[in-house]
Amino acid sequence: MAAWAQNGIVPKKRHKYHIMNPKRAHHRLQDLINLSALLCLALGVTPIAAATPLHLQSQPEQGQQLGWENQPPDQHSWCPGHFPIADGPIDGDSNSKQAITITAEQSATIQPDGNSVIAGGVHLKQGNRELTADKVTLYSKQDGDGYERLTLEGNVTMHERDKMVIADRLDINTIDQTGTAVDILYRIQRNPLSKQVAWGSAKKLKIIKRHYLRIYAATYSTCPPTETGWRLHSQRISLNKASGRGQAQHAWLSIGKIPVFYFPYLDFPLDKRRKSGFLAPHYSSSSVNGHMISLPYYWNIAPNRDATITPQHIEKRGTEAAVQLRNMDRRGNSAIKLHWMPDDKLFNDFKATARTDYPSANEHFLSDIDGAKKQRYFVHLDDDRQWNPSLHTSVNINYVSDDYQFQDLNFSDFSEDTNQLTNQLYAIYHSDFWRASMLVSSYQTLHRINNQKVEDQYRQLPAFTVNGELPFNVATLGISGNAGLAQFDKSRDYLTNVEPTTGWRYYVQPTINKNIRTKTVDLNTALTLSSTAYQLQHQAAGTDAKQQRHLPIFSLNAK
């Protein structure tokens, strides 16, 4: 009893031990708990893992140990079933300052000046974290002040609410924060919102230094262990939390038992820090375009600037290149996207047969097809800037070289049904008592020969507005107002061959108001004269080119 109390461990009952002084016992067992958590976290952030060692159990047996629960198949889910997320201890806090409780079913030999062994269903608990093993050996330092090495053997399990690790053996050096684990199974909740769980196995894990880990013969998947879904494998994975990078060597992706992709070397992020390199390839297939494969390259130009360059080969069309540039500075941010295809075999065939396939189509649309360029491209610019506290501008520009690109090719920002592309320039300047704005807006309308009834939209080239108020009253009256002018234009309707009405619109709305306040009532009265005028072109027969409207408006609000 004295020896145990001297080391901060007091038997509460037979074979049960409780650390009464966690600060004093911290240097013995704290590193075990923390490094076990580090093991969980390291495996949890591993985005790639690899081959199941032969000496490990089958997938269904692994899943059973990790708590897999089958459930009826869901028509929206390829991987039915789930790992229980909330089946771990939920009381307490994982804070390392909490007391550590140790229990054992069998014997314990604890000596203050030598090695200590706790055997038979050893259970360590700290807050909501639990660690169990058949046997725990604590190797004392030479000076007898604490432990320098810890070994857990047999059915080693680390369990928290959102993660679980099972290993056959775990060795921890508490001095240099290194360690080794062998025969490992793990699962961890990847996304708290979707409750998606990743799981896998590894032959060995080495904690080389506090933030550097190596994992050998590892696997990784989010599909159930009872199904032969996809699985990632790697012979060796290195995780460096200090640099925020991970590397996988000899990695491959398998679907069922069939390998489908091989990667000699992969470099991936562990956190939000960015690095230039190739991103995951993308493959798709359709009856129209055939096989499509792309390989994006991410270029981290500067902390505030990057680019993604994506070459794509489309089997039945040709090769396309896409570039996205992004920039952020103290005034705002901007993005540029460019898609370019030098030659489209299917589109060339469509142009050659359009007049034969659509003999009754409108001649204007057939002429557009005849004049379509061999090269196909799409340009997008988005810019948003706050130049100073008073001036703000935004630009949104979109343009396609022909009307059929969204129908033929895949664009993440537009669907194949898109038929109007917005182009806008907006600027606003304001002070304490007035503001002025300018808007230039136009639309590129896509007239497809198989959907000709799409109307062009009116353009505003430009539209100006100004509004404000006097900062003082005139004879107890407040004076304010707004005014504006806009030119509106529209292309000819080629289906009806009618010129649309275009022209200028002017409006002025001066307002005078007076507040009347007494002890019992608060009245706000206002008188506005709304005047609007039009100068029209191509107006309907019998309609004057000049139109005017003057409308007085009186309002009364009482509180």
Side-chain angles (χ1 to χ4, degrees):
M1 176 71 76
W4 289 329
Q6 201 173 29
N7 285 274
I9 304 176
V10 177
K12 296 176 68 177
K13 294 182 180 180
R14 185 179 181 183
H15 308 312
K16 185 171 184 180
Y17 312 93
H18 182 72
I19 298 184
M20 303 296 294
N21 187 349
K23 291 184 179 179
R24 184 161 186 168
H26 172 80
H27 60 286
R28 298 174 178 80
L29 295 176
Q30 189 60 58
D31 293 322
L32 171 62
I33 300 295
N34 289 341
L35 286 173
S36 298
L38 183 61
L39 169 63
C40 286
L41 183 59
L43 288 169
V45 299
T46 305
I48 295 179
T52 306
L54 297 176
H55 62 273
L56 291 180
Q57 301 171 346
S58 66
Q59 281 191 200
E61 290 174 328
Q62 292 175 352
Q64 185 177 9
Q65 290 208 53
L66 291 171
W68 175 260
E69 295 178 356
N70 286 310
Q71 64 184 23
D74 185 344
Q75 62 177 344
H76 301 294
S77 174
W78 181 26
C79 301
H82 71 283
F83 286 106
I85 299 301
D87 64 338
I90 60 175
D91 60 304
D93 185 352
S94 60
N95 193 318
S96 60
K97 294 181 180 180
Q98 287 208 40
I100 302 168
T101 301
I102 306 175
T103 59
E105 296 177 359
Q106 299 179 17
S107 61
T109 305
I110 303 178
Q111 300 174 355
D113 55 352
N115 300 338
S116 305
V117 178
I118 307 175
V122 184
H123 181 273
L124 293 84
K125 184 169 186 252
Q126 184 184 38
N128 68 356
R129 182 183 299 149
E130 291 189 355
L131 195 151
T132 61
D134 293 340
K135 178 182 176 182
V136 176
T137 305
L138 302 92
Y139 298 89
S140 293
K141 296 179 180 179
Q142 291 184 355
D143 58 7
D145 184 19
Y147 301 107
E148 63 180 5
R149 189 162 63 91
L150 309 168
T151 299
L152 289 84
E153 301 174 78
N155 299 312
V156 181
T157 302
M158 167 70 187
H159 200 181
E160 291 188 32
R161 292 187 63 179
D162 58 351
K163 63 179 68 75
M164 182 179 186
V165 174
I166 300 173
D168 183 66
R169 180 185 175 94
L170 176 62
D171 291 289
I172 299 292
N173 188 312
T174 61
I175 297 176
D176 59 13
Q177 303 285 290
T178 61
T180 302
V182 295
D183 290 356
I184 304 160
L185 298 177
Y186 70 91
R187 67 170 169 88
I188 187 164
Q189 183 179 357
R190 293 186 60 211
N191 189 332
L193 297 179
S194 66
K195 293 187 177 181
Q196 186 182 45
V197 175
W199 76 281
S201 62
K203 182 177 181 179
K204 180 185 290 188
L205 179 143
K206 285 186 177 181
I207 306 172
I208 297 173
K209 49 175 109 171
R210 182 171 180 81
H211 295 293
Y212 187 74
L213 308 156
R214 234 174 232 162
I215 308 170
Y216 299 88
T219 65
Y220 176 92
S221 179
T222 56
C223 280
T226 55
E227 301 289 336
T228 55
W230 68 267
R231 212 172 193 194
L232 285 162
H233 311 253
S234 179
Q235 286 189 5
R236 190 174 83 171
I237 298 173
S238 301
L239 305 176
N240 190 334
K241 292 188 178 182
S243 65
R245 304 301 302 178
Q247 292 82 34
Q249 296 177 340
H250 299 295
W252 67 95
L253 171 68
S254 64
I255 297 179
K257 296 182 179 180
I258 302 175
V260 292
F261 284 108
Y262 172 73
F263 309 95
Y265 177 83
L266 287 174
D267 186 287
F268 51 86
L270 302 179
D271 50 34
K272 294 182 179 180
R273 284 175 283 185
R274 304 178 302 174
K275 182 180 179 181
S276 299
F278 285 100
L279 304 178
H282 180 265
Y283 169 81
S284 61
S285 178
S286 73
S287 60
V288 175
N289 293 327
H291 302 290
M292 295 171 284
I293 186 167
S294 61
L295 182 61
Y297 181 81
Y298 176 78
W299 182 15
N300 185 28
I301 303 172
N304 66 323
R305 189 176 300 115
D306 63 15
T308 304
I309 304 166
T310 308
Q312 177 178 227
H313 180 71
I314 304 174
E315 180 187 12
K316 296 182 181 181
R317 294 187 179 275
T319 301
E320 179 194 43
V323 178
Q324 176 179 318
L325 299 171
R326 300 187 301 177
N327 180 77
M328 180 180 293
D329 55 43
R330 63 185 181 86
R331 289 194 174 97
N333 55 76
S334 59
I336 299 174
K337 293 182 181 180
L338 173 65
H339 289 254
W340 178 69
M341 178 176 282
D343 190 16
D344 187 331
K345 293 178 286 187
L346 284 183
F347 188 60
N348 292 338
D349 295 341
F350 169 72
K351 290 194 296 180
T353 62
R355 289 187 175 272
T356 303
D357 295 340
Y358 300 92
S360 60
N362 185 278
E363 177 60 28
H364 174 76
F365 301 139
L366 289 172
S367 298
D368 283 347
I369 295 174
D370 293 337
K373 298 178 180 179
K374 179 180 179 181
Q375 299 179 359
R376 308 185 79 182
Y377 57 87
F378 165 70
V379 178
H380 166 78
L381 169 64
D382 187 40
D383 185 89
D384 192 84
R385 266 174 216 283
Q386 188 72 44
W387 297 94
N388 56 48
S390 299
L391 178 60
H392 174 263
T393 62
S394 65
V395 179
N396 183 20
I397 296 176
N398 299 279
Y399 182 78
V400 288
S401 59
D402 62 78
D403 296 341
Y404 301 87
Q405 284 204 50
F406 298 140
Q407 181 176 281
D408 296 342
L409 304 172
N410 294 324
F411 290 83
S412 59
D413 297 332
F414 301 94
S415 71
E416 64 178 22
D417 298 324
T418 299
N419 52 42
Q420 302 287 350
L421 295 182
T422 304
N423 293 277
Q424 287 187 342
L425 167 63
Y426 179 72
I428 181 170
Y429 186 89
H430 67 87
S431 67
D432 292 338
F433 298 101
W434 67 276
R435 73 174 186 174
S437 65
M438 180 193 72
L439 173 66
V440 178
S441 68
S442 177
Y443 295 87
Q444 182 184 5
T445 302
L446 308 182
H447 299 282
R448 302 186 183 100
I449 202 168
N450 54 355
N451 185 17
Q452 302 179 42
K453 297 182 180 180
V454 179
E455 290 190 26
D456 287 345
Q457 303 298 307
Y458 270 98
R459 299 181 289 269
Q460 297 186 76
L461 303 170
F464 295 97
T465 61
V466 60
N467 56 70
E469 60 183 12
L470 293 178
F472 52 85
N473 289 339
V474 178
T476 70
L477 298 175
I479 299 177
S480 61
N482 61 80
L485 65 90
Q487 181 189 20
F488 52 95
D489 191 17
K490 187 179 181 181
S491 300
R492 175 192 290 269
D493 188 335
Y494 291 98
L495 293 176
T496 61
N497 200 30
V498 174
E499 286 283 358
T501 302
T502 60
W504 287 83
R505 182 187 65 183
Y506 314 86
Y507 73 91
V508 178
Q509 291 183 332
T511 299
I512 57 174
N513 64 80
K514 182 176 179 61
N515 289 330
I516 302 173
R517 295 179 180 176
T518 67
K519 293 182 179 180
T520 58
V521 69
D522 185 356
L523 295 177
N524 180 272
T525 60
L527 179 63
T528 300
L529 179 62
S530 178
S531 298
T532 306
Y534 291 88
Q535 182 70 45
L536 303 177
Q537 295 176 341
H538 311 300
Q539 69 274 18
T543 303
D544 292 338
K546 294 183 179 180
Q547 302 281 336
Q548 293 185 2
R549 184 201 67 180
H550 305 284
L551 180 66
I553 302 171
F554 176 76
S555 63
L556 174 65
N557 295 314
K559 294 182 180 179

